Amino acid sequence: MLLKRIKLLTFKAVLLIKVSFLKRTKQFDKLENLCRRALSQNPQNYLANLWLGEALRKQGKLDEAVEVYRRIPHLPGSKYFLDTFDFLWVLVEAGRYDEAIAAGEDALHRLNSGSLGLESALRDVYLDTVHRVVGGSYTELGEYEKAVPHLEI
């Protein structure tokens, strides 16, 4: 049992080093392949999904990245709002402003409901960021009147 745990920890350490190297050297195609292999074994792997989304995004495969980022906030181990920010940004980067608005409005609802148990200062930072994404998305669509309340916070 102990040997099995040591092997697992060693594997995870090697994987983290390899991912770090691939990201640092901008070998995002290889990072994508590595993540897809990991996800074939465990589709719920939070980090592999996160890294895959980043690899796809960096390669300009934005539609694929959107689909990966869409599922990340619902995976075990997700930091809901940090992962939601990644999702919102890739939607904006892909020019999918209607979807960014819908996802942002959902995030605002969750933040305002207080159901996430966030400290006030952190909640305020999240609210500000999401409002800017939603307001910017309305602006990109030419819906300035809808953008103003999000940008006047």
Side-chain angles (χ1 to χ4, degrees):
M1 177 84 168
L2 181 59
L3 183 58
K4 187 175 183 177
R5 280 190 69 179
I6 290 171
K7 284 182 180 181
L8 180 60
L9 289 173
T10 302
F11 172 76
K12 287 182 179 181
V14 169
L15 181 62
L16 287 173
I17 291 167
K18 188 168 191 172
V19 166
S20 177
F21 172 77
L22 293 173
K23 287 170 64 172
R24 194 172 52 255
T25 58
K26 300 181 183 341
Q27 296 182 57
F28 297 109
D29 56 334
K30 290 181 181 177
L31 179 58
E32 177 186 352
N33 292 334
L34 178 67
C35 292
R36 290 192 187 281
R37 284 195 313 265
L39 290 169
S40 71
Q41 300 296 312
N42 178 7
Q44 298 292 306
N45 184 314
Y46 168 72
L47 287 175
N49 275 284
L50 192 63
W51 295 328
L52 176 60
E54 181 180 359
L56 293 167
R57 185 172 170 216
K58 296 286 187 175
Q59 294 177 84
K61 298 177 180 180
L62 298 178
D63 288 334
E64 288 180 74
V66 164
E67 296 314 312
V68 172
Y69 279 116
R70 184 184 312 279
R71 69 178 172 250
I72 291 173
H74 309 287
L75 295 173
S78 171
K79 315 316 183 252
Y80 177 79
F81 271 95
L82 293 176
D83 297 327
T84 297
F85 287 149
D86 287 338
F87 178 49
L88 290 173
W89 289 121
V90 78
L91 285 170
V92 168
E93 196 174 338
R96 293 165 72 166
Y97 302 113
D98 288 327
E99 292 177 69
I101 291 166
E105 294 287 359
D106 179 61
L108 290 170
H109 174 74
R110 290 173 185 248
L111 283 165
N112 286 320
S113 74
S115 65
L116 299 169
L118 297 173
E119 294 179 22
S120 178
L122 184 58
R123 182 182 156 276
D124 290 346
V125 169
Y126 286 152
L127 279 169
D128 182 59
T129 303
V130 175
H131 273 294
R132 289 178 190 281
V133 170
V134 172
S137 294
Y138 276 125
T139 300
E140 289 293 331
L141 293 174
E143 298 182 38
Y144 304 111
E145 290 176 12
K146 291 181 180 179
V148 169
H150 292 284
L151 300 175
E152 290 185 334
I153 52 174

